[in-house]
Each structure stands twice: as C-alpha cells, then as structure tokens.
Amino acid sequence: MSAGPSRGSGGEAERRGEAEALKRMADMLRQGAVMLDIQCPACSSPLFRLRSGEIWCARCQKRVIIVREGQDITVAASDILLSSLEQTILNKLGELNEMLKAEVDITRLRELSGLLSGLLDNLARIRRMTGRRH
C-alpha cells in the first residue's frame, strides 16, 4: 500500500519538473535565445542557442556541445574549456582588483601584483590560443 502514494507524488514531481522546464524554455526565449530544430541527446528536449552562442538544454540545465561529423571532439571540448578558463580568470582578476584597492601592506601588495601578473599572462595565452583579442 505504501507504493501508491509514492507513485502519485512521483507523477506530481514529474509534472512540476515539466512545468519548471517549460518556464525555463519560455524565459530563455524572452531573453533572446533561439529554439533549435535539434534535440538534447540526454532528454530529447529541444535545444536553445543562447545569445552567447552556447547551446543549452533547458530541461537538463546543461550546456550541449554539437560535434559535426568528421569534427574532432577534442577540439570542440577544448574550445569550451578555454572559454570557461578565460571567464574564470576574468572573475579572479575582478576579485584581485578589489583586494588591491583595499591593501596597504607593501609585502602583500607585491604578492597580489605577482598574482595579477600571472593571471594576465594566462589570459593572454588563452586569448592567443582562441584567437580572441578583447
């Protein structure tokens, strides 16, 4: 008898999940995403191309990489990794900027400057690898 309520709540949870996924899809469309004519390989839900160019599954809430026939999957995955690393470095540069503004100790300023230099070098390397100049 205990199986009955759990099945009912499972159906309710599925309906809730479906409604949330549809809401995310509608929100993505309102934000300028484009619904594509291809489906998520994991859940068969329609995929969306975001303004950033990323392809996203609203139901799985994950980025999807589309690899064309004959394309090297390693190249596609490395582009995403480098883009993610670039964003992480930019975020860390912002955090470091705030730390530099508040710091008065000359020894700590030297340490932070070394970190800044390393992050900027890595950012430049990533941008050379990806061909981005900004």
Side-chain angles (χ1 to χ4, degrees), residues 21 24-25 28 45-48 56-62:
R24 283 191 298 270
M25 290 178 197
M28 290 170 72
S45 181
L47 295 176
F48 293 82
W56 192 260
C57 176
R59 182 180 311 276
C60 296
Q61 298 183 62
K62 293 182 182 177

Side-chain angles (χ1 to χ4, degrees), residues 13 34 115 122:
V34 175
L115 288 171
N122 287 325

Side-chain angles (χ1 to χ4, degrees), residues 51-90:
R51 288 182 156 186
S52 66
E54 292 178 316
I55 297 178
W56 192 260
C57 176
R59 182 180 311 276
C60 296
Q61 298 183 62
K62 293 182 182 177
R63 185 173 184 180
V64 176
I65 303 170
I66 297 176
V67 180
R68 305 280 181 227
E69 189 173 332
Q71 183 182 9
D72 185 358
I73 193 164
T74 306
V75 172
S78 67
D79 288 346
I80 290 172
L81 176 59
L82 289 172
S83 179
S84 177
L85 279 171
E86 180 181 23
Q87 190 58 52
T88 299
I89 289 173
L90 289 170

Side-chain angles (χ1 to χ4, degrees), residues 13 29 42 53 83 117:
L29 289 170
S83 179
S117 179

Side-chain angles (χ1 to χ4, degrees), residues 3 5 7 28-29 38-39 50 53-54 59 86 90 104 112 127-129:
R7 256 188 270 141
M28 290 170 72
L29 289 170
I38 51 179
Q39 297 175 336
L50 306 180
E54 292 178 316
R59 182 180 311 276
E86 180 181 23
L90 289 170
V104 293
L112 294 175
R127 288 185 171 171
R128 276 194 306 272
M129 291 172 73

Side-chain angles (χ1 to χ4, degrees), residues 86 90 120 123-134:
E86 180 181 23
L90 289 170
L120 289 172
L123 181 62
R125 281 188 194 125
I126 289 169
R127 288 185 171 171
R128 276 194 306 272
M129 291 172 73
T130 59
R132 288 195 282 274
R133 297 272 183 244
H134 51 340

Side-chain angles (χ1 to χ4, degrees), residues 6-19:
S6 66
R7 256 188 270 141
S9 63
E12 184 178 324
E14 270 186 48
R15 283 189 296 279
R16 242 191 334 259
E18 180 74 19

